Amino acid sequence: MKTINSIYIVDDDPITVFGIKKLLSNVIQCDGVESYGNGKLAIDAIKEVLSNQKSLPDIIFLDINMPIMDGWQFLEEFIQLSINEKVRVNIITSSIDPADLERWEHYRNNSKHLITYNNKPVKREKMQEITKAV
C-alpha cells in the first residue's frame, strides 16, 4: 500500500464523502483526509496552505454539482493558482451530461495538473487506479 501525504474530498454529499473515505482506507495509506462541503471552502483552504508554505494535497476528489462554488468554479480558480507541483484532481460525478465531459476536457487540456473524470459510484479497482499521486 502506497502512502499519500494528504487528500481533499470536495463534495456536499456526506454519504459520498463517507464512501470515498471508506474505499480510501482499503486501498492506500494516507496521513490526512480533509473534506469540504463546497468548492469555496476547499479553495480557501488551499490558498491558506499556499500562504503558509505548507504541503498541498496529493489528490483531490471533486464533485461538480455543489452549492456556493461548484466543481467547475473551483477548477477555474485552482488552475490559476501558482502551484509548482502537480496535483491529481479526480472529478467524481453522477452527471451524464455530455457538456460536463467537454468541460472536463477543457480543464484537462489547459492545466498542468492531472485531471480525471469518474462516474459515481467509484469501485475499489478504479479507486486503486485514481489514487496514484502524480
Side-chain angles (χ1 to χ4, degrees), residues 27-87:
V27 297
I28 61 164
Q29 286 288 116
C30 182
D31 293 338
V33 177
E34 301 288 331
S35 60
Y36 301 93
N38 64 63
K40 176 84 171 103
L41 294 171
I43 203 74
D44 288 347
I46 289 170
K47 287 177 180 177
E48 184 174 329
V49 163
L50 288 171
S51 70
N52 293 324
Q53 299 178 338
K54 294 188 178 176
S55 294
L56 287 167
D58 296 312
I59 300 168
I60 298 173
F61 288 91
L62 180 65
D63 186 23
I64 54 175
N65 296 310
M66 296 177 287
I68 302 171
M69 177 187 272
D70 68 22
W72 302 124
Q73 294 165 319
F74 169 87
L75 274 176
E76 192 63 39
E77 282 200 40
F78 182 73
I79 65 172
Q80 301 301 320
L81 294 174
S82 180
I83 298 173
N84 294 326
E85 59 271 359
K86 284 186 177 184
V87 176

Side-chain angles (χ1 to χ4, degrees), residues 74-125:
F74 169 87
L75 274 176
E76 192 63 39
E77 282 200 40
F78 182 73
I79 65 172
Q80 301 301 320
L81 294 174
S82 180
I83 298 173
N84 294 326
E85 59 271 359
K86 284 186 177 184
V87 176
R88 180 180 201 116
V89 179
N90 296 307
I91 295 172
I92 307 290
T93 184
S94 56
S95 173
I96 56 171
D97 187 346
D100 286 332
L101 275 172
E102 288 177 21
R103 288 180 87 174
W104 160 65
E105 287 185 15
H106 165 77
Y107 288 107
R108 182 185 67 173
N109 294 329
N110 292 292
S111 172
K112 70 175 182 180
H113 303 291
L114 176 60
I115 303 174
T116 65
Y117 190 92
N118 308 276
N119 287 101
K120 291 179 182 177
V122 177
K123 304 279 191 230
R124 179 183 167 93
E125 299 77 30

